[in-house]
Amino acid sequence: MGAKIEFIAEGTVTSPKGFHAGASCAGIKKKNKDSLDLGILFSDVPCVATAVFTNNKIKAAPVILCQQRLPAGRARAIVVNSGCANACNGEQGLADATEMAKLAANGIGVSPEDVLVASTGVIGLPLPMKLIRAGIEQIILSSDGGHSLAKAMMTTDTVPKETAVVVKLDDSEVVIGGVAKGSGMIHPELATLLCFLTTDATVDIDFLRLALRKAVDASFNMVSVDRDNSPNDMVLIMANGLAKNEVIMEDTEQADVFQQALNQVCTYLAKCIAGDGEGASKLIEVTVSGAPSLVEARLAARAVVSSPLVKAAIHGSDPNWGRIIAAVGRSGVEVVESKIDLYIGNICLVRAGHQLLFDREGVVRVLSSSEVPITLQLNLGNATATAWGCDLSEEYVTINSQYTT
């Protein structure tokens, strides 16, 4: 069923009932010490909570701590910093993450075990705990503090990423909000991204775990900026039940509606991340249709959107369509060259595996726009998937050649 889902103007992670946030300038970001770089997200009441994490074999201390605490299925708050990843710091890193949670817990009056931690920034540097201790004391929580939290999470992001939607569930209105950060080191599974999602819905924890996994697979795991990922990535969701709806259980009509709304929030934030890739000037959207299965459709779409050669061609508005076909061919999915159709915008370049006489200037115009849609029809099945990425520019190299200097 199609649910009526409405985006909330200036919506953010504190749009659902009972959520508050705040941030401070702790001075962790060495290049810009006047920037917000430390924040807290808090619920008035206990939440059911779950998260998904990076598949990088190297796990940052905050990820390890969250993985230790979240099997209980509950959380009340998360404290996050930017400017330092607290990754590859061994036992000291875990001790610092634990202290960070305790400091936040003391400030808001909850148990440390109900506070989660996230960090993002340079890998290998120890957390500047003196700055964090002072910075946490400066944080003032408010119902519109999600906007500040979104800014405090940013590293090389150029804009904050936040949204919220409202959806009707029987006699209750439910809100889902979110903030995210991510610009570089972006590639499935997850990326150098942090995303915090909140809802005032009453949700069964087992269904919430399943719903988050589905939403992430259709959104954040379909984004690639530079074929890399980090030890710090996580997508967290907390549900506090203040909407007073009946508990949402798996395999119900309410579950379908909630899933649609959660997918929309995650997809919106994922596209924001792709469009704000380091040095990017264009958002690339690749849709693969006619695949034998959803898994193969996703693999093919990701292969195209993550190809450095495709990304570089799009940066230069070069209609070098062979790179797109080649990326699909090496994706590992089943393809038959004589069945492939390729469109850039609404212009068909390839039909049944053969190049057509296409409007080259028209294709260049599409490639020169801020959003570049690419569609591939494999004509082998009924599955469809969409992936998002960005062009590869000289500025990307400049940013990442001077990241710590």
Side-chain angles (χ1 to χ4, degrees):
M1 91 179 242
K4 184 180 180 183
I5 302 166
E6 296 181 357
F7 280 88
I8 298 171
E10 298 185 6
T12 186
V13 74
T14 52
S15 294
K17 296 182 184 72
F19 286 96
H20 303 271
S24 66
C25 302
I28 304 168
K29 292 178 181 176
K30 292 184 178 180
K31 287 188 176 181
N32 191 349
K33 293 191 176 182
D34 294 327
S35 296
L36 294 170
D37 54 15
L38 184 64
I40 294 174
L41 173 64
F42 170 68
S43 171
D44 288 338
V45 298
C47 301
V48 295
T50 187
V52 293
F53 300 96
T54 179
N55 69 351
N56 197 309
K57 298 298 183 183
I58 304 298
K59 301 283 193 291
V63 168
I64 294 171
L65 185 68
C66 290
Q67 288 179 324
Q68 292 173 349
R69 293 184 174 180
L70 273 173
R74 70 174 192 271
R76 192 78 180 271
I78 185 161
V79 55
V80 57
N81 76 275
S82 58
C84 176
N86 192 14
C88 301
N89 287 325
E91 292 183 3
Q92 186 59 53
L94 190 56
D96 289 342
T98 303
E99 182 185 353
M100 194 168 160
K102 185 177 181 180
L103 290 167
N106 290 343
I108 55 183
V110 300
S111 168
E113 287 71 29
D114 287 334
V115 179
L116 304 174
V117 180
S119 297
T120 183
V122 179
I123 295 169
L125 297 179
L127 273 179
M129 292 306 298
K130 183 177 180 180
L131 296 178
I132 287 174
R133 292 183 194 109
I136 285 179
E137 292 182 356
Q138 298 169 16
I139 295 173
I140 299 174
L141 302 177
S142 69
S143 58
D144 64 353
H147 302 303
S148 295
L149 182 71
K151 293 176 181 178
M153 296 162 60
M154 294 167 57
T155 49
T156 54
D157 306 62
T158 64
V159 292
K161 301 162 179 71
E162 53 191 331
T163 194
V165 301
V166 60
V167 64
K168 188 86 169 188
L169 283 179
D170 295 328
D171 296 328
S172 303
E173 275 194 344
V174 164
V175 177
I176 303 174
V179 291
K181 66 80 53 181
S183 187
M185 288 184 83
I186 302 291
H187 191 65
E189 301 269 335
L190 297 184
T192 303
L193 71 85
L194 298 176
C195 177
F196 308 140
L197 302 162
T198 57
T199 180
D200 47 22
T202 307
V203 188
D204 171 70
I205 183 59
D206 290 330
F207 166 66
L208 191 64
R209 289 175 177 134
L210 178 65
L212 181 64
R213 182 78 258 180
K214 286 182 177 180
V216 169
D217 281 344
S219 58
F220 298 114
N221 279 343
M222 297 301 292
V223 172
S224 184
V225 168
D226 51 14
R227 297 179 62 84
D228 218 331
N229 70 8
S230 90
N232 291 70
D233 317 327
M234 72 171 72
V235 179
L236 165 75
I237 186 166
M238 297 192 294
N240 65 16
L242 290 180
K244 304 298 183 184
N245 59 292
E246 291 188 17
V247 180
I248 303 173
M249 306 292 292
E250 187 180 351
D251 296 327
T252 63
E253 184 177 301
Q254 291 77 15
D256 290 341
V257 172
F258 182 86
Q259 186 75 66
Q260 290 176 49
L262 182 61
N263 288 355
Q264 285 206 21
V265 170
C266 290
T267 298
Y268 177 89
L269 293 172
K271 290 177 70 173
C272 288
I273 288 170
D276 193 32
E278 288 177 341
S281 61
K282 303 171 185 179
L283 172 68
I284 306 170
E285 181 174 272
V286 176
T287 300
V288 172
S289 300
S293 69
L294 180 59
V295 169
E296 290 181 285
R298 286 175 170 172
L299 283 173
R302 282 194 263 190
V304 175
V305 85
S306 64
S307 165
L309 288 176
V310 171
K311 292 156 74 69
I314 290 174
H315 179 67
S317 302
D318 181 11
N320 192 349
W321 61 265
R323 292 180 174 181
I324 299 171
I325 300 294
V328 173
R330 65 167 172 76
S331 66
V333 309
E334 181 183 349
V335 292
V336 177
E337 182 181 348
S338 62
K339 292 189 175 184
I340 297 175
D341 301 333
L342 169 64
Y343 292 79
I344 295 179
N346 60 3
I347 302 172
C348 186
L349 287 74
V350 175
R351 174 91 62 195
H354 295 286
Q355 177 178 320
L356 302 178
L357 291 174
F358 62 86
D359 177 6
R360 186 180 177 88
E361 290 185 1
V363 173
V364 170
R365 283 195 295 271
V366 175
L367 294 174
S368 300
S369 62
S370 59
E371 296 189 13
V372 179
I374 297 171
T375 304
L376 285 143
Q377 173 57 254
L378 303 185
N379 290 304
L380 295 173
N382 299 313
T384 298
T386 301
W388 300 274
C390 60
D391 56 327
L392 181 61
S393 69
E394 298 90 336
E395 189 179 352
Y396 175 86
V397 177
T398 300
I399 290 170
N400 285 285
S401 65
Q402 303 170 356
Y403 199 87
T404 66
T405 56

